[in-house]
Amino acid sequence: FVLASCNWYPGDNATTDQLDAVITEYDVNADFQNMKTYALAEEVTPISGDPNTPPDFTISPELNNVVITTIKSNMAAYGWTLVDTSDNPDLAIALGASKYRNTNYYESWWGGSWYYPWSPYNTTVSSYEVGNLIMVGLNWKNKDAITQKYPVAWIGLVQGAIVPGTVDEPLDRVQRDI
């Protein structure tokens, strides 16, 4: 019964917003109770999967605005105060976006074809673009004196809701997922 109820095969009716993923991770040693101020990047930066190749997409002003205003609203709701990086915030949030093409191959034996006689082997291929929003909270006051790098206090990833560079951006999904 459990296997029969699964709905994750090609041709089934799962919608894209049901496949969004939100992942967060934080440094267990970060003292969030004493952190009250944050700085926020002014825009979402496109990121390429290859450091030698520039990204092949841009972030629309509408998408950038939804990301920035949603983060500001959420941070204010938790009691954080927005400041400039020159004011030495407790946390600095960097924003990036990436996209990639996901290709799935589903193979089945015995049946699966619409014609007679049934084929003993059937392959279904589906391909779609997936977008990621990456939010990185840097512990701004704990810069490493040797490496000159800031430790990551928190990282959040929203996968699926954005596909940068597309005409039809699901801005309500981006807002919901943030």
Side-chain angles (χ1 to χ4, degrees), residues 82-176:
L82 178 63
V83 299
D84 191 75
T85 54
S86 62
D87 294 327
N88 199 25
D90 297 312
L91 190 72
I93 302 174
L95 303 170
S98 66
K99 74 174 183 175
Y100 64 92
R101 178 158 295 283
N102 190 12
T103 304
N104 297 314
Y105 296 92
Y106 175 72
E107 298 177 352
S108 63
W109 292 92
W110 304 107
S113 297
W114 58 269
Y115 58 88
Y116 180 83
W118 282 22
S119 169
Y121 184 75
N122 186 33
T123 301
T124 303
V125 179
S126 65
S127 180
Y128 54 92
E129 285 193 326
V130 175
N132 297 313
L133 171 64
I134 302 109
M135 301 166 284
V136 180
L138 302 171
N139 193 334
W140 202 252
K141 291 190 176 179
N142 289 334
K143 185 176 183 179
D144 187 288
I146 296 170
T147 65
Q148 296 296 301
K149 294 182 180 179
Y150 297 95
V152 174
W154 173 84
I155 188 165
L157 173 71
V158 175
Q159 181 183 50
I162 64 167
V163 180
T166 62
V167 176
D168 185 24
E169 294 171 332
L171 300 177
D172 57 331
R173 285 174 44 207
V174 172
Q175 189 175 27
R176 176 200 68 195

Side-chain angles (χ1 to χ4, degrees), residues 25-102:
E25 186 65 41
Y26 66 95
D27 179 359
V28 295
N29 297 316
D31 187 8
F32 291 103
Q33 294 296 328
N34 290 319
M35 293 183 180
K36 299 294 178 206
T37 61
Y38 76 102
L40 179 62
E42 294 179 5
E43 61 184 37
V44 180
T45 304
I47 301 169
S48 173
D50 178 2
N52 300 317
T53 306
D56 63 347
F57 63 93
T58 59
I59 304 299
S60 73
E62 294 83 11
L63 176 60
N64 192 72
N65 184 52
V66 165
V67 170
I68 299 295
T69 57
T70 303
I71 291 172
K72 285 180 180 179
S73 174
N74 289 352
M75 294 297 281
Y78 283 106
W80 289 75
T81 302
L82 178 63
V83 299
D84 191 75
T85 54
S86 62
D87 294 327
N88 199 25
D90 297 312
L91 190 72
I93 302 174
L95 303 170
S98 66
K99 74 174 183 175
Y100 64 92
R101 178 158 295 283
N102 190 12

